[in-house]
């Protein structure tokens, strides 16, 4: 699977898209002029209505823009569902200045590495609200935040703009699981962390690979993966500048962090799973061909050069070889798609 395919699939996950159209004066693709005009019109309308304009956005980079404060974490029983009925749910209220710039109802904001949807916006006080689904509470540490908790500060990042720079890596905001800080130490001006993590995700974590910790794009240093029942941990370090821009240095041994592994590793694994059965079938054909060739060579020792048996064996081997060629061609073609 090519990088472009992986990138396209990743972009599709967030459900955002942008339109490209051929220019009338050249073969170069340009942003649709009509779409751009409509966007400009919407921007002017938003300004007249006192709303802040927004642009087409997509995914995250893991470069934290600011640290915000959790003002409340409430469970409500009167939330209106799609059919008009009432249900219970959890709502978090967060204060943050930078992420309010360009925010709009329904936009995505990363809170401690979790992609959440803005449901209410208060631009005067720089406050926004997000809903926390049961799955979010099960997979992340956001349920432990709130005014009555020791943890009230969270990392915040707006979704990245299409075509903009990415100084981190492709972060979806889809946390895989919670890790636990088991050790931390200082190495000159660097701050190291050692994180214990569930064994089923350790195959996606490699030395010098990407990892998102509480939404921060970081580089893995060391990895130990012994499977279920053994030790499973990885380390990373924070440079001096990063230490002052994110919440991690305020955490201690025993605290938890939201961990998202590099999604490209998952896509690569899925692509490889599709290839393996075809490779095994090809290998089986090759073994069969080798066996028949040995039988043919053994049967021809001291035998006449012409004979129906020899001809049939040759034809049989040729047929197997043909099957291998077809199998290989199909394999190549499927990988090209």
């Amino acid at each position: 699977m090519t990088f472009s395919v992986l990138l396209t699939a990743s972009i599709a996950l967030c459900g955002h898209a942008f339109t490209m159209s051929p220019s009338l004066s050249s073969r170069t693709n340009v942003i649709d002029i009509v779409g751009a005009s409509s966007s400009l019109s919407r921007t002017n309308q938003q300004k007249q209505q006192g709303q802040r304009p927004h642009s087409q956005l997509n995914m995250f980079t893991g470069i934290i823009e600011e640290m915000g404060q959790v003002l409340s974490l409430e469970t409500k029983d009167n939330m209106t569902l799609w059919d008009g009925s009432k249900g219970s749910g959890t709502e978090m209220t967060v204060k943050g200045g930078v992420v309010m710039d360009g925010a709009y109802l329904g936009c995505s904001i990363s809170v401690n590495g979790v992609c959440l949807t803005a449901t209410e916006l208060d631009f005067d006080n720089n406050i926004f609200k997000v809903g926390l689904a049961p799955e979010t509470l099960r997979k992340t540490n956001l349920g432990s935040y709130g005014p009555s908790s020791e943890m009230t500060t969270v990392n915040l990042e707006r979704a990245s703009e299409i075509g903009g720079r990415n100084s981190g890596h492709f972060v979806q905001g889809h946390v895989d699981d919670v890790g636990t800080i088991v050790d931390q130490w200082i190495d000159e001006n660097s701050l190291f962390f050692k994180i214990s993590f569930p064994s089923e995700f350790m195959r996606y974590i490699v030395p010098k690979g990407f990892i998102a910790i509480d939404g921060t794009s970081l580089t893995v240093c060391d990895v130990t993966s012994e499977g279920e029942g053994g030790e499973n941990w990885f380390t990373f370090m924070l440079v001096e500048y990063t230490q002052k821009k994110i919440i991690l240095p305020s955490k201690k041994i025993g605290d938890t962090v939201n961990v998202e592994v590099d999604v490209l590793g998952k896509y690569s694994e899925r692509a490889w799973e599709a290839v393996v059965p075809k490779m095994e079938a090809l290998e089986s054909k090759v073994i069969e061909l080798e066996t028949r060739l040995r039988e043919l060579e053994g049967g021809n020792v001291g035998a006449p050069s012409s004979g129906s048996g020899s001809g049939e064996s040759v034809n049989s081997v040729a047929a197997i070889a043909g099957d291998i060629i077809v199998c290989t061609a199909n394999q190549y073609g499927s990988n090209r798609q």
Side-chain angles (χ1 to χ4, degrees), residues 162-179:
I162 292 175
R165 293 183 177 179
N166 187 341
S167 296
H169 71 282
F170 293 111
V171 178
Q172 295 179 286
H174 303 165
V175 172
D176 289 291
D177 212 325
V178 170

Side-chain angles (χ1 to χ4, degrees), residues 18 25 75 99 129 155 227 234 236 250 259 276 290 317:
F18 63 100
S25 60
T75 298
V99 295
K129 292 185 178 182
N155 292 328
F234 62 91
F236 60 85
S250 65
V259 181
V276 167
E290 290 176 340
V317 172

